[in-house]
Amino acid sequence: MDPSPRPRLIPLLLLLLLSFSSPAARAWKKDEFRSCNQTPFCKRARTRGPHSLDAPLSLDAGSLFVSSDGSLTAVLTHPSRLRPLLLRLSALPPHALRLQIDEDYSTNTPPHRRFQVPDVLLPDVEARTLHLSEPKTAGGVSTLALSSDVDVVVKHSPFELTVRLAGSGDPVLSFNSHGLFDFESLQEAKAEGETWEEHFRSHTDTRPRGPQSITFDVSFHGAYFVYGLPEHGSTSLALRPTRGPGVEESEPYRLFNLDVFEYLHDSPFGLYGSIPFMIAHGDGASSGFFWLNAAEMQIDVLAPGWDGAASTENGRIDTLWMAESGVVDAFFFVGSEPKDVIKQYISVTGTPSMPQQFAVAYHQCRWNYRDEEDVAGVDSGFDEHDIPYDVLWLDIEHTDGKRYFTWDHSAFPNPEEMQRKIADKGRKMVSIVDPHIKRDSSFHLHEEATAKGYYVKDASGKDFDGWCWPGASSYPDMLNPEIREWWADKFSYENYKGSTPTLYIWNDMNEPSVFNGPEVTMPRDAIHYGDVEHRELHNAYGYYFHMATADGLLKRGEGKDRPFVLSRAFFAGSQRYGAVWTGDNSADWDHLKSSIPMVLTLGLTGMSFSGADIGGFFGNPEPDLLVRWYQVGAFYPFFRGHAHHDTKRREPWLFGERRTTLMREAIHMRYSLLPYYYTLFREASLTGIPIMRPLWLEFPDDKETYNNGEAFMVGPSLLAQGIYEDGQKSVSVYLPGKELWYDLRNGSPYKGGVSHKLEVTEDSIPSFQRAGTIMPRKDRFRRSSTQMVNDPYTLVIALNSSRAAEGELYVDDGKSYGFEQGAFIHRHFVFADNKLTSTNIAPDNPGNKKFSTDCVIERVIILGLSSAAKKAIVEPGNQEVGIELGPISLRRGSSSVAPTVRKPNVRVVDDWIIRIA
């Protein structure tokens, strides 16, 4: 790795320190939620200094052994431990290392064992484990090859693990290099005079199993910045340091799923979901670290000099990981670029599910649309104002007294007819189903769950009784596969009366939220299936709920219909079951700005299908803010307008004709780009590469992009940057790379590799197509995406300096799983040597099904082509077609500025060539 740029590390990190001293960063709601100092395991861990243990944790060299499954095992010992620790190292292709550490229960058996999170890793992870060779041991150090490019070095005493590049020997990741590893032993009983109880406000955590926390340090070598650890509000894409010189009164990044009312837009405080995955990027290699643990975590990003050292290795970022309980089940990923790291993380947690076409379009939601008349009025309002939408949502008030799977028959007397009327226009509906079940003896769902013993228990063994929207509520124990199966059955048409095939589901409050619980959540000493304490699986409860709901829709459709389920809570692996959103944001400019780093971070950690509530959930947005939010939100992977019931109505036509036009154009733009988005969703479903991306994911060598959280890429071809201030007159936009960028509105070229000061206009935000790319569009505006299925395509070609470009188009039926058996079209478009070629890139034998379409290409716009070109030849057939100047988009007032091949009418399913004469 080239070390020359690394001296820039410290000044770059110092930039991240500044905002943590701001009043807003200190204003989080300390009285309602625990700080690190109020969390004993976090407070204990933070007080330890590097290498401060009275004796080192050591690996017993004589215990090193390569087992029959190809993994390496060993024993870790320490004089003060009740029992030794068992270590297991295993490898996954191409460069992933798995580290597992648990207590050796054979020597001193406690009443309970530590919880290992089930059903998150893909079931074939163990089967894909590579066979490690015998380590080479000398001088208290063992070395083994992870791959031809990567080695693992294990120091015996004090125990330390380093993943390094085999050729150069440069370290990439290291574990316990600062001696902060601590693994509290499970105890059989309290010592005399010892207390295990913890108190917070009026709540007592009995902690009957005592302290069981785990702490360790992980260092990322050769890294400029680290990213990840959703979910928290932030205006910074990179994770800021939380401890060390220049950081005052800061909290660690907290991973603990919580229902946070009006969260701060910039804080390390945990929100609705938790993914303990961190990715680092620097010179020569990218890396990632994932800890599979569903207990509360606190993670410090340590500023240079945190350990009191006079100097620090250039290009190293140290982090401290703390968890209340669980085991060490950690993955180290190494790649030549960040996309490699994301793909490896996805290879163990699963690829995002492929959504239906409608789910990629615009969604309209409110807490609550009052009744069937209100629903019909909103639906017709979109038609009257020529604004497309695909999904209308119903919040909790549609139910009979907050009893889920029911309808308020005074407001919604004919739910099936209502859904059919919406479906007649190609649209869908979504209803909300939360995990809290109303404790009502007349409610069949509660009676059945009670009789079967399906609820989470409190510490005394009784059904847990908490308070949520229905009042007294209990919660299904979703850790139990039998209960998840039972829950899934509730979505059948027989069980969910009034539902139809076009009704999909929204899971809210599934952190789980308990209004009268500690920190508005379930007590940690509640008991789940298998005698597991809630503290051990808290962050995965919403994941299991999401899983069960998605499985329910899958069963409802007999395995043929792709589910759509939106979840507020999430964990690693949630990408396999649907979409998420950033929760209850606020109608202010700061929350608009922070939505970009939040959505980008979700994408980096697997959750590619995500977005923020357009306009902000709480409060009434200024009309100009609402317009700007639509213009940014039209690029989110998940595009939904939503609002609190105390806010004023904000359908897009309620703010005057001019603003209606601006919001309509933003939504129209999203609909025109649906073919491009759908193609990106297909890529995400295969590789995990997110739809909405940080600039550095596409330009990993451009250091100017590393902490740019205001601009973003959509796929490889499109760059956009929001307007995040009221009354902003100009904006600076950095366009990376050496090639040109073309303005999406008018095709004007802009030089890459420099920042451009642009005048702010009201009609759009800065957005550009990258030279060298081809984007597919559909430009005829319909009521919904379903009505666009047979419409022709437009290809927009942006030529680079070599007068070349390429792109892809993926098409299937938009709803079924036929694509898994080969029922899809996947085309590769290449423009070179003055000709556009379309070739098939679908696998030769992908399955026994086929998909076809009669859709054609009706326009080919070529940015960067000489206006002297007047005709083109279409082959086969030797058909001559005209080239004339045309508009970039079909929006009103667009000028004819780009050479356009008109009506070549070639089918997207066929091979063909369009040659510029």
Side-chain angles (χ1 to χ4, degrees):
M1 291 182 288
D2 178 11
S4 57
R6 291 184 188 168
R8 295 188 58 208
L9 171 69
I10 293 178
L12 285 170
L13 281 177
L14 289 176
L15 292 174
L16 293 179
L17 298 176
L18 299 178
S19 65
F20 266 9
S21 62
S22 69
R26 298 194 299 268
W28 57 302
K29 302 173 183 178
K30 294 182 180 180
D31 58 329
E32 295 180 17
F33 302 101
R34 298 205 305 182
S35 67
C36 178
N37 279 337
Q38 295 169 313
T39 307
F41 81 87
C42 184
K43 184 177 181 180
R44 289 195 302 272
R46 261 190 158 193
T47 58
R48 300 186 193 104
H51 304 289
S52 60
L53 293 175
D54 53 356
L57 179 74
S58 299
L59 183 145
D60 179 359
S63 69
L64 276 171
F65 176 72
V66 176
S67 62
S68 59
D69 65 3
S71 63
L72 183 143
T73 60
V75 174
L76 298 173
T77 62
H78 187 273
S80 66
R81 291 200 54 80
L82 287 176
R83 59 190 71 86
L85 297 172
L86 298 180
L87 173 147
R88 179 177 184 257
L89 289 176
S90 53
L92 289 163
H95 308 297
L97 175 72
R98 185 179 187 181
L99 168 66
Q100 295 169 278
I101 302 176
D102 196 0
E103 299 189 67
D104 182 356
Y105 301 109
S106 66
T107 59
N108 184 317
T109 305
H112 305 276
R113 295 196 175 194
R114 290 174 175 270
F115 177 64
Q116 300 185 34
V117 185
D119 303 319
V120 169
L121 300 181
L122 292 178
D124 68 343
V125 166
E126 283 292 339
R128 287 188 279 121
T129 297
L130 302 175
H131 199 288
L132 291 172
S133 59
E134 287 288 341
K136 299 175 181 179
T137 300
V141 174
S142 297
T143 304
L144 60 153
L146 186 61
S147 69
S148 60
D149 303 315
V150 179
D151 287 340
V152 179
V153 179
V154 182
K155 183 180 177 182
H156 297 178
S157 184
F159 169 66
E160 180 183 353
L161 184 151
T162 302
V163 181
R164 69 182 189 185
L165 299 179
S168 64
D170 289 335
V172 180
L173 289 153
S174 59
F175 180 93
N176 200 38
S177 56
H178 296 280
L180 292 171
F181 180 77
D182 186 60
F183 200 112
E184 292 182 319
S185 299
L186 289 175
Q187 301 179 48
E188 294 186 41
K190 298 178 188 177
E192 186 176 348
E194 185 180 14
T195 179
W196 289 348
E197 288 185 351
E198 292 181 3
H199 304 276
F200 179 69
R201 304 184 81 183
S202 62
H203 301 280
T204 298
D205 177 4
T206 61
R207 296 184 73 231
R209 302 174 189 182
Q212 49 188 295
S213 69
I214 303 172
T215 305
F216 51 76
D217 58 275
V218 176
S219 295
F220 297 83
H221 302 262
Y224 285 125
F225 295 106
V226 288
Y227 313 85
L229 302 183
E231 185 177 40
H232 56 275
S234 181
T235 55
S236 171
L237 176 60
L239 294 169
R240 302 185 183 96
T242 58
R243 271 179 64 197
V247 182
E248 298 180 4
E249 300 181 30
S250 176
E251 289 289 311
Y253 290 99
R254 188 184 190 196
L255 296 184
F256 191 65
N257 293 5
L258 291 169
D259 179 2
V260 184
F261 188 87
E262 294 186 278
Y263 61 83
L264 296 175
H265 75 278
D266 202 1
S267 167
F269 186 72
L271 296 177
Y272 312 95
S274 299
I275 300 180
F277 174 47
M278 186 180 285
I279 185 170
H281 182 56
D283 291 320
S286 298
S287 59
F289 178 78
F290 167 52
W291 185 6
L292 177 57
N293 189 332
E296 177 182 359
M297 280 191 202
Q298 305 264 5
I299 300 100
D300 271 321
V301 176
L302 302 167
W306 68 273
D307 53 358
S311 61
T312 186
E313 171 193 335
N314 283 329
R316 189 190 78 211
I317 298 179
D318 299 324
T319 60
L320 179 65
W321 297 66
M322 304 161 274
E324 184 179 14
S325 61
V327 298
V328 175
D329 191 354
F331 293 80
F332 302 78
F333 305 114
V334 179
S336 60
E337 64 174 17
K339 286 182 181 180
D340 296 334
V341 174
I342 294 172
K343 289 176 182 178
Q344 289 180 69
Y345 168 74
I346 289 297
S347 76
V348 298
T349 62
T351 55
S353 59
M354 183 66 187
Q356 293 198 41
Q357 175 88 47
F358 80 82
V360 184
Y362 177 63
H363 302 244
Q364 181 67 31
C365 184
R366 180 176 177 80
W367 179 21
N368 204 87
Y369 288 121
R370 298 181 302 269
D371 50 32
E372 291 178 2
E373 182 180 359
D374 196 7
V375 166
V378 172
D379 178 65
S380 62
F382 276 90
D383 295 337
E384 290 166 10
H385 294 89
D386 192 26
I387 301 174
Y389 88 99
D390 267 63
V391 194
L392 193 65
W393 292 52
L394 297 177
D395 212 317
I396 55 177
E397 310 302 336
H398 84 277
T399 62
D400 177 12
K402 314 300 190 300
R403 298 171 183 87
Y404 301 107
F405 303 103
T406 69
W407 301 85
D408 177 348
H409 288 294
S410 62
F412 297 92
N414 302 296
E416 293 178 63
E417 181 182 354
M418 172 184 67
Q419 293 164 61
R420 279 195 292 270
K421 288 179 179 178
I422 296 291
D424 285 345
K425 300 177 183 179
R427 294 167 177 159
K428 313 292 189 291
M429 294 192 73
V430 166
S431 65
I432 196 166
V433 177
D434 292 348
H436 44 264
I437 297 177
K438 184 180 180 70
R439 294 184 60 84
D440 179 350
S441 59
S442 66
F443 185 27
H444 66 90
L445 192 63
H446 168 65
E447 287 298 283
E448 185 179 350
T450 301
K452 291 178 177 288
Y454 280 177
Y455 285 137
V456 176
K457 309 303 179 187
D458 63 22
S460 70
K462 298 177 181 177
D463 286 350
F464 172 72
D465 184 348
W467 198 262
C468 207
W469 294 126
S473 304
S474 289
Y475 297 72
D477 184 0
M478 290 298 173
L479 179 62
N480 187 336
E482 177 185 321
I483 298 174
R484 293 202 298 267
E485 188 76 13
W486 169 80
W487 183 259
D489 288 338
K490 300 307 167 190
F491 292 92
S492 70
Y493 303 122
E494 179 183 0
N495 288 324
Y496 190 175
K497 305 293 186 184
S499 65
T500 71
T502 59
L503 182 69
Y504 296 87
I505 301 298
W506 172 17
N507 290 160
D508 198 2
M509 315 297 286
N510 54 334
E511 293 74 28
S513 177
V514 181
F515 293 161
N516 62 336
E519 301 189 273
V520 201
T521 191
M522 188 173 284
R524 296 168 192 246
D525 55 6
I527 301 297
H528 291 260
Y529 171 69
D531 200 28
V532 175
E533 283 193 297
H534 185 72
R535 79 181 76 252
E536 301 176 273
L537 65 85
H538 171 80
N539 286 343
Y541 181 87
Y543 163 82
Y544 293 123
F545 190 73
H546 195 186
M547 175 198 296
T549 302
D551 286 347
L553 293 191
L554 193 62
K555 291 177 70 174
R556 182 189 78 174
E558 299 179 342
K560 300 174 183 177
D561 187 48
R562 297 178 222 164
F564 173 77
V565 183
L566 179 75
S567 174
R568 189 169 72 175
F570 55 84
F571 187 63
S574 288
Q575 66 269 13
R576 305 202 300 268
Y577 302 108
V580 299
W581 89 108
T582 62
D584 297 344
N585 58 356
S586 297
D588 60 54
W589 291 91
D590 287 336
H591 273 262
L592 169 60
K593 185 176 183 179
S594 68
S595 73
I596 301 304
M598 292 179 75
V599 173
L600 291 175
T601 297
L602 286 166
L604 288 174
T605 54
M607 298 305 305
S608 57
F609 199 3
S610 66
D613 285 343
I614 306 299
F617 178 67
F618 288 107
N620 296 302
E622 306 161 22
D624 288 344
L625 170 61
L626 185 60
V627 168
R628 291 303 188 194
W629 215 316
Y630 269 99
Q631 291 170 342
V632 171
F635 292 105
Y636 295 155
F638 176 59
F639 183 26
R640 181 183 77 157
H642 186 36
H644 190 276
H645 65 71
D646 288 337
T647 64
K648 298 176 182 177
R649 296 292 288 256
R650 61 168 84 147
E651 285 75 33
W653 54 86
L654 298 177
F655 298 88
E657 184 176 345
R658 178 56 183 161
R659 292 189 179 97
T660 297
T661 297
L662 296 175
M663 288 184 271
R664 177 193 299 117
E665 289 180 350
I667 296 172
H668 276 170
M669 182 209 65
R670 171 55 169 256
Y671 275 75
S672 73
L673 289 173
L674 283 179
Y676 180 61
Y677 270 82
Y678 199 65
T679 301
L680 294 175
F681 270 95
R682 173 59 171 173
E683 179 191 15
S685 75
L686 295 172
T687 68
I689 302 303
I691 288 92
M692 185 169 155
R693 310 170 183 179
L695 303 188
W696 56 263
L697 203 61
E698 290 298 320
F699 299 90
D701 297 325
D702 191 335
K703 296 177 180 64
E704 295 298 322
T705 68
Y706 288 176
N707 193 31
N708 188 332
E710 295 188 2
F712 54 89
M713 298 289 296
V714 177
S717 306
L718 195 158
L719 182 151
Q721 181 169 318
I723 301 300
Y724 307 117
E725 297 177 15
D726 188 18
Q728 194 170 348
K729 302 299 183 185
S730 64
V731 61
S732 178
V733 179
Y734 178 72
L735 299 176
K738 298 178 181 179
E739 296 287 350
L740 294 174
W741 294 81
Y742 296 90
D743 190 306
L744 281 191
R745 297 170 301 170
N746 55 34
S748 297
Y750 289 83
K751 185 179 180 181
V754 297
S755 294
H756 298 269
K757 185 177 181 180
L758 303 176
E759 180 184 357
V760 170
T761 62
E762 68 172 0
D763 61 342
S764 65
I765 61 173
S767 47
F768 305 87
Q769 183 173 345
R770 179 182 179 181
T773 66
I774 300 175
M775 288 201 305
R777 299 190 327 211
K778 284 195 173 185
D779 289 342
R780 297 187 183 181
F781 302 130
R782 308 289 188 183
R783 290 179 171 182
S784 65
S785 66
T786 306
Q787 297 185 349
M788 298 167 63
V789 166
N790 297 317
D791 285 349
Y793 289 86
T794 293
L795 297 182
V796 183
I797 302 173
L799 298 182
N800 61 17
S801 56
S802 301
R803 297 177 59 78
E806 64 178 326
E808 295 181 15
L809 173 66
Y810 173 83
V811 188
D812 61 26
D813 67 11
K815 55 187 178 182
S816 78
Y817 285 98
F819 68 92
E820 293 183 345
Q821 286 78 47
F824 63 87
I825 298 165
H826 197 179
R827 308 299 300 182
H828 186 211
F829 303 118
V830 175
F831 188 95
D833 300 324
N834 254 16
K835 63 183 180 182
L836 173 64
T837 303
S838 174
T839 57
N840 175 38
I841 54 173
D844 290 337
N845 296 297
N848 55 13
K849 292 189 177 181
K850 302 295 180 184
F851 174 77
S852 188
T853 175
D854 291 328
C855 289
V856 299
I857 308 293
E858 73 168 348
R859 291 198 307 157
V860 179
I861 300 170
I862 310 177
L863 303 174
L865 183 69
S866 168
S867 59
K870 298 300 181 184
K871 65 179 181 179
I873 305 299
V874 178
E875 301 172 356
N878 200 34
Q879 173 193 357
E880 182 178 307
V881 293
I883 299 177
E884 58 187 53
L885 292 182
I888 302 298
S889 72
L890 298 184
R891 63 191 298 175
R892 283 175 291 184
S894 296
S895 301
S896 296
V897 294
T900 302
V901 180
R902 291 183 53 82
K903 297 185 178 180
N905 292 335
V906 287
R907 299 202 320 156
V908 295
V909 73
D910 294 334
D911 291 348
W912 43 259
I913 296 173
I914 299 176
R915 192 185 310 275
I916 306 301

